[in-house]
Amino acid sequence: MTRVFDEDLDAGFGTRAIHAGQRPEPLAGAIMTPVYLTSTYVQEGLGQNKGYEYARGKNPTREAFERNVAALENGRHGFAFSSGMGCLDSIMKLFRSGDHIVCAENVYGGTFRLFDKLLQNYGLTFTYVDTRDPQRIADAMTPATKAILAETPSNPLMRLTDIAAAADIAHQRGALLVVDNTFASPYFQQPLELGADIVFHSTTKYLNGHSDMIGGCAVVRDDDLAARLQFIHNAAGAVAGPFDAWLALRGTKTLHLRMRQHDANGREIAKWLVEQVGAENVYYIGLPSHPQYDLACRQMSGFGGMISVELGTKERAAHVLGKVRVFALAESLGGVESLISQPAGMTHASVPPDRRAALGISDGLVRLSCGVEDVGDLLADLEQAFEGIPGTGRTARPEARNEATPQAARARSHV
Ligand SMILES: *Cc1c(COP(=O)(O)O)cnc(C)c1O
């Protein structure tokens, strides 16, 4: 368990992002936390050590990262894991056979797969509900319910859960509220401040931000809950390696700068997409047309760079995915580079087709992770990728490749 230094909780977000959890290295004063590549620590005598015995339990690089993320989430204790899924799997080990979990119906495909294909076999039971409506959460609670799990905004439909309302429902019944904060990042949303008990991340995404590692992190405030998680962290052992922790620690130093640019680019691109396909086909929480825009403004301080767009058919999705040049066709999100994907066939392929259809994850749904490139280039890329899209009247014009379209010209003027 890694508790934040008390002084780290006072500074502003950017200052915490850069400094929290880190102190000059004692041997030479190195400003950057070293990568402690070690499995064990030499002990001075029997029963005498510096607080470090074996590196599954504690590693100074991992601790610095854990303290850093805990400070960014306004929490007290952080736990870094080998992946987002490893993190969630360990959180679920707080529960036992017979316990019931109320889970948002639209969650990351891997979250659903973990619950449905693995944890169900160990006697945990799950009810999936549309957590946009707090009443549905309340209605799904049973005497056996030990936790509510929400992902907000959700992947890929950008649905929101009212965190404060969900926390009230959980706490009235003695259950925990667990929030996957991967999409918003602590820069835009701090679930612990709104009453959540555990916040977790796939640090693979925005927290690391550079698409060069896989990791997860959980943060809590409560000391007893932290002690239970620490036991699981060490006993089950899905811990982050020191180099991955170091990469992610370097990543969080620019989280505030990156998130501002993801947000600015996301807003511009969402506006452009609305002009192309209509507001009803663009899922972006920063659009006033989003049905939960008011809630977004209440519980988040920005909207970020995640957008989904309904293109109607798989052919149209394939057309756009096949033509992009700056956006890369790939799973994942939250890196500095822009990515584009088709959730039905990629990130959510593990969700059964009938379930996908019921949720609205259609074959024509395309998800964009807007990176931090120059927005004019991103808009121009989408402009050329949308040219000639089948069945929309956007026919390819032979001169289109050379001639600036009005949209592209407008896009460039934003740079
Ligand atoms: C990617 C992702 C996960 C899983 O994290 P990994 O690091 O890939 O294991 C969980 N939740 C959300 C919202 C994600 O985007």
Side-chain angles (χ1 to χ4, degrees), residues 56 79 81 86-95 198 225-239:
R56 178 168 11 85
F79 304 88
F81 291 88
C87 177
L88 180 59
D89 184 54
S90 287
I91 290 169
M92 297 308 291
K93 288 188 169 82
L94 290 166
F95 310 115
I198 303 177
L225 189 55
R228 289 164 66 201
L229 274 172
Q230 185 198 11
F231 183 84
I232 297 167
H233 201 210
N234 181 55
V239 298

Side-chain angles (χ1 to χ4, degrees), residues 82-86 108 111 151 153 155 180 182-183 200-205 214-216 332-333 367:
S82 53
S83 70
M85 293 324 299
Y108 177 71
T111 295
E151 183 181 307
N155 180 2
D180 183 338
T182 299
F183 267 40
F200 77 97
H201 286 271
S202 166
T203 55
T204 312
K205 318 291 171 52
I214 294 277
S332 200
L333 61 109
R367 191 188 77 185

